[in-house]
Amino acid sequence: MSATGSRTPSWADRRASAGHRPAAGAAGRALLVAFGVAAAVDLGALLAGWHLGHVIAKPLLMPLLVAHVITRRAPRLLIAALLFGWGGDLALLFDAEPAFLVGMGSFAAGHVCYLVLFGRGRTGPVLGGAYALALVGTVALLWGDLPAGLRVPVAGYSLLLTAMAYRSSALGRTAGIGGALFLLSDTLIATGVAEWPQPPRPDFWIMATYLAAQYLLAAGAIAPAQAYRREVIQD
C-alpha cells in the first residue's frame, strides 16, 4: 500500500475499492430531492398548523437522509447517528414526559456516534471556551424553570450535545455549522419545556434548524470519505 493509502481510514479505504457507480449517484440525488420535498412538506405543515401533515412527513425525513448517505457509502457511525435521530423524532411525536426522555436518550446515543465519528481531529480552544460558556450559562438559567424530574437528564444531555457541537468542527466548517445548529435546535426545545417565551411558530424553527443540522453533519462527514477515496483511486 502506498503512503497515501496507508493514511486512509479503513472505512474510507473499503469504499474506495468499490469505485464510482453512476447509478448509485443518480439514486443518491433522487433520495436527496425526496428528503428536500419531505422537509418542505413537514415545515409547511408546521407553519400552517396542519398536525397530520407533520405526523406523516416527520417519520420519513431521517430514513430518506439515511438512504441518501448509504448511496454515498457513508461511514456506519454516521448511519447509526441518523437512525438514532430518527428514533428521537418518533418519540417526540408523543406529547408526554416519558416520550420526551426516550427521545432525548435516542438523540444522546446519536451524539455518541457522532463524537466517535469525529475522531481526534483538531478543534480550536477559543471555540471550545465559547461552547463551555454557552453550556454553563444555558443550564444555569434553565435549571430553576425546568420540571424537577428533567433537570439532571437535561443537564447531562446538554453536556453531551455541546461536546458534539464543539467536536463537529474537527470535520470542517460544514459539519461545524451543523453541530451549532443542532445545539440551537435543542436549546429551543429546552426553553419551551422551561416555558420561556418562544418565537412565533417555535416548532417550525426547531425542525428547520434540526433538519439543516443533520444534513450538514452528514455532508461534512461524507466529504472526508470521498476525499480519501479520490486519493486512493488516483494513487
Side-chain angles (χ1 to χ4, degrees):
M1 184 179 291
S2 68
T4 300
S6 65
R7 294 193 301 270
T8 307
S10 59
W11 52 265
D13 193 23
R14 288 194 298 270
R15 287 159 178 77
S17 63
H20 179 65
R21 297 181 296 169
R29 288 189 293 273
L31 287 164
L32 185 58
V33 169
F35 170 73
V37 170
V41 170
D42 186 55
L43 295 175
L46 290 172
L47 283 176
W50 181 33
H51 181 67
L52 179 60
H54 174 60
V55 170
I56 292 172
K58 187 179 183 182
L60 301 176
L61 294 166
M62 288 304 106
L64 287 171
L65 187 55
V66 167
H68 164 68
V69 301
I70 287 174
T71 67
R72 304 284 296 276
R73 288 169 281 173
R76 291 178 182 176
L77 283 168
L78 172 60
I79 295 170
L82 294 173
L83 288 175
F84 279 121
W86 182 45
D89 291 345
L90 295 178
L92 294 185
L93 284 173
F94 300 92
D95 187 17
E97 185 173 311
F100 178 79
L101 290 171
V102 169
M104 188 164 57
S106 190
F107 283 121
H111 295 328
V112 172
C113 293
Y114 275 130
L115 283 168
V116 178
L117 177 63
F118 298 153
R120 299 182 180 180
R122 285 189 174 184
T123 48
V126 174
L127 182 63
Y131 272 121
L133 286 174
L135 170 65
V136 173
T138 301
V139 171
L141 290 171
L142 286 172
W143 187 265
D145 294 327
L146 289 171
L150 292 179
R151 289 172 183 169
V152 172
V154 168
Y157 176 80
S158 298
L159 176 60
L160 185 59
L161 170 62
T162 304
M164 185 282 293
Y166 167 53
R167 289 295 302 151
S168 65
S169 62
L171 292 186
R173 182 178 299 177
T174 298
I177 294 172
L181 287 174
F182 212 132
L183 179 62
L184 174 59
S185 179
D186 281 6
T187 299
L188 288 172
I189 293 176
T191 56
V193 172
E195 298 184 353
W196 283 16
Q198 297 286 289
R201 298 291 184 187
D203 287 348
F204 169 83
W205 296 110
I206 289 168
M207 281 303 296
T209 50
Y210 166 71
L211 292 174
Q214 291 283 43
Y215 170 74
L216 291 172
L217 284 166
I222 288 172
Q226 293 186 324
Y228 280 124
R229 200 154 51 235
R230 285 193 295 269
E231 287 181 11
V232 173
I233 292 172
Q234 291 171 1
D235 188 66

